[in-house]
Amino acid sequence: MNPVQNYISTFSPEVQELLKQVREIITNTAPEAEESIGYGMPAYKLSGKPLVYFAGYKKHIGLYALPSGHEAFAEELNKYKKGKGSVQFPVNEPLPLDLIERIVKFRKEENSG
């Protein structure tokens, strides 16, 4: 089991399913990104630069797309609790999978540019 799979396996089945969905979006959108654990959570790097991170919590899934990734989608993220470079998706609501995919694509283009 790789470190990210091991990380995901430590959560409740419901949270595991959401984390797997986020991981799948990232790995499908940026298959060339390096997957590891950074800051205690799944981390993805592209061209040697951070792409995105995600983390599981009891009541939410955290997505960390650095401040630029969140600023670009600020309007769509307004309904979620946010920090400077993070957003929290409640585990009792469907994940905005399309939005997460567009954020990852944005960060991928930003890293490649």
Side-chain angles (χ1 to χ4, degrees), residues 68-80 82 99:
S68 62
H70 295 284
E71 290 163 9
F73 298 89
E75 197 171 304
E76 291 175 86
L77 292 170
N78 270 342
K79 70 183 211 171
Y80 301 104
K82 296 187 300 279
L99 177 58

Side-chain angles (χ1 to χ4, degrees), residues 39-51:
Y39 304 106
M41 66 184 104
Y44 297 82
K45 281 187 175 181
L46 190 62
S47 304
K49 298 179 275 191
L51 182 67

Side-chain angles (χ1 to χ4, degrees), residues 13-112:
E14 299 79 22
V15 173
Q16 282 186 43
E17 186 53 42
L18 297 174
L19 293 171
K20 286 175 185 175
Q21 290 175 23
V22 173
R23 180 182 186 222
E24 186 175 342
I25 286 171
I26 296 167
T27 57
N28 286 344
T29 304
E32 64 280 20
E34 293 175 48
E35 181 180 69
S36 65
I37 297 289
Y39 304 106
M41 66 184 104
Y44 297 82
K45 281 187 175 181
L46 190 62
S47 304
K49 298 179 275 191
L51 182 67
V52 293
Y53 300 80
F54 70 89
Y57 298 92
K58 191 173 183 178
K59 297 189 175 187
H60 72 273
I61 302 298
L63 181 70
Y64 307 87
L66 310 176
S68 62
H70 295 284
E71 290 163 9
F73 298 89
E75 197 171 304
E76 291 175 86
L77 292 170
N78 270 342
K79 70 183 211 171
Y80 301 104
K81 186 174 179 181
K82 296 187 300 279
K84 185 176 180 186
S86 66
V87 62
Q88 296 179 7
F89 301 117
V91 296
N92 61 351
E93 295 176 16
L95 286 174
L97 301 176
D98 177 64
L99 177 58
I100 294 169
E101 182 178 351
R102 287 185 287 124
I103 291 170
V104 174
K105 280 182 182 171
F106 172 84
R107 288 288 302 128
K108 182 179 173 180
E109 289 171 17
E110 201 172 44
N111 271 16
S112 300

